[in-house]
Amino acid sequence: MDVIRRARVTDIEALVRLFGAPGEPLAAALRELLNTPHVTVVVAEDDNGVAGTAQLTVLRGLAWEGATRGLLEGIRAARRGVTSALLTWGIDEARRRGCSRLHLDSGLARGDLRDFYARFGFEYSYQGFTRAL
């Protein structure tokens, strides 16, 4: 991997491949996210083009004693070396932006990733609720 840079609208085709998702909903989401100040979407690029992506959302709220925290999600990569680089970027960027904690959004079905994420200091600790709307 050569570089991690901010995503651009022109990256949409590569992101569609990484997510395996329909292009137009993903393109609409990317356009919105690129214009949202507290959200940063990046891509990892190598000689073959876009090899991965991640999204960091920085939040401040009344929870956690008003602390600034980050949510790292949407990590998709062609290989684990790229995933490692994106996780490192997310941790460093969250620190740089003053986050006191970083939440990593990953599905429960991906139990194989628990040990991998633990190597980066993440603890499997969150319990919460979701509801489809």
Side-chain angles (χ1 to χ4, degrees):
M1 191 207 47
D2 297 328
V3 67
I4 294 178
R5 63 165 174 80
R6 284 187 173 264
R8 301 184 285 252
V9 173
T10 55
D11 294 319
I12 195 61
E13 287 181 30
L15 297 178
V16 166
R17 281 193 305 278
L18 284 170
F19 280 92
E24 187 46 42
L26 207 60
L30 180 61
R31 284 190 297 272
E32 181 179 332
L33 292 169
L34 292 177
N35 291 303
T36 303
H38 60 279
V39 175
T40 304
V41 180
V42 295
V43 295
E45 215 172 31
D46 62 16
D47 291 337
N48 297 317
V50 173
T53 188
Q55 174 184 328
L56 175 65
T57 303
V58 175
L59 307 163
R60 183 156 189 180
L62 299 176
W64 304 104
E65 299 176 351
T68 301
R69 60 199 184 280
L71 172 61
L72 186 59
E73 62 184 321
I75 297 175
R76 296 290 188 278
R79 59 191 184 282
R80 280 224 167 143
V82 175
T83 304
S84 295
L86 289 166
L87 282 168
T88 300
W89 169 85
I91 294 165
D92 292 345
E93 183 64 12
R95 276 193 189 115
R96 188 187 74 74
R97 301 209 26 210
C99 296
S100 61
R101 69 176 49 239
L102 181 61
H103 301 273
L104 176 63
D105 191 13
S106 182
L108 293 174
R110 299 295 313 266
D112 61 315
L113 293 176
R114 287 187 193 170
D115 290 339
F116 178 71
Y117 292 145
R119 289 197 305 265
F120 289 86
F122 289 96
E123 296 175 9
Y124 183 71
S125 63
Y126 179 77
Q127 283 190 317
F129 302 91
T130 60
R131 177 183 170 173
L133 300 176

